[in-house]
């Protein structure tokens, strides 16, 4: 398997068939977060807050055009914690995007690849 430039081998993620109860829970989370952050389409969640050297749940919100939506610290921290608790299987050393329209969580690196046309 070829290695990435960071020395880690790329691995394919297994295809998972969502459980109806789980997908309902994810849609409810997305709806709650959309109420907390009006105008947001995507919430990017990570374990690294810019400017801090220790792990801390952090979230940023973006609208449908990709512009940053203002979040105060309390809302950002609450959103990040909710997403992290709903998706404990994710590797939180990387950033993830939660689509508030579908409730789907995907690595933020995929969003960069799509924006560059590499998908």
């Amino acid at each position: 398997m070829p290695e990435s430039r960071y020395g880690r081998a790329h691995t394919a993620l297994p295809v998972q068939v969502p459980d109806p109860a789980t997908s309902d829970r994810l849609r409810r989370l997305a709806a709650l977060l959309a109420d907390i952050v009006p105008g947001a389409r995507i919430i990017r969640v990570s374990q690294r807050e810019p400017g801090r050297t220790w792990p801390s749940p952090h979230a940023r919100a973006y609208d449908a055009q990709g512009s940053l939506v203002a979040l105060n610290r309390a809302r950002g921290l609450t959103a990040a914690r909710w997403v992290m608790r709903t998706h404990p299987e994710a590797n939180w050393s990387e950033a993830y995007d939660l689509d508030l329209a579908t409730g789907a969580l995907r690595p933020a690196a995929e969003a960069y690849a799509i924006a560059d046309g590499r998908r």
Side-chain angles (χ1 to χ4, degrees), residues 2-100:
E3 289 191 7
S4 71
R5 62 181 173 181
Y6 300 110
R8 294 186 298 192
H10 294 287
T11 57
L13 296 175
V15 176
Q16 296 178 354
V17 177
D19 177 25
T22 302
S23 60
D24 183 48
R25 191 180 78 214
L26 299 178
R27 282 193 297 274
R28 283 195 330 254
L29 172 68
L32 286 170
L33 290 174
D35 287 343
I36 290 174
V37 188
R41 171 67 192 261
I42 299 284
I43 293 185
R44 179 163 293 158
V45 179
S46 69
Q47 191 66 290
R48 295 280 179 197
E49 184 174 348
R52 302 210 183 215
T53 55
W54 58 87
S56 175
H58 180 69
R60 288 187 176 182
Y62 298 93
D63 63 12
Q65 289 77 33
S67 301
L68 192 62
V69 175
L71 271 180
N72 63 27
R73 179 159 168 75
R75 285 183 180 180
L77 192 58
T78 300
R81 285 180 177 164
W82 285 3
V83 173
M84 288 178 174
R85 288 177 182 163
T86 305
H87 296 279
E89 75 283 354
N91 175 11
W92 290 109
S93 63
E94 306 289 332
Y96 284 84
D97 288 344
L98 178 70
D99 186 340
L100 297 181

Side-chain angles (χ1 to χ4, degrees), residues 101-114:
T102 64
L105 184 76
R106 66 176 185 207
E110 283 185 21
Y112 292 128
I114 291 169

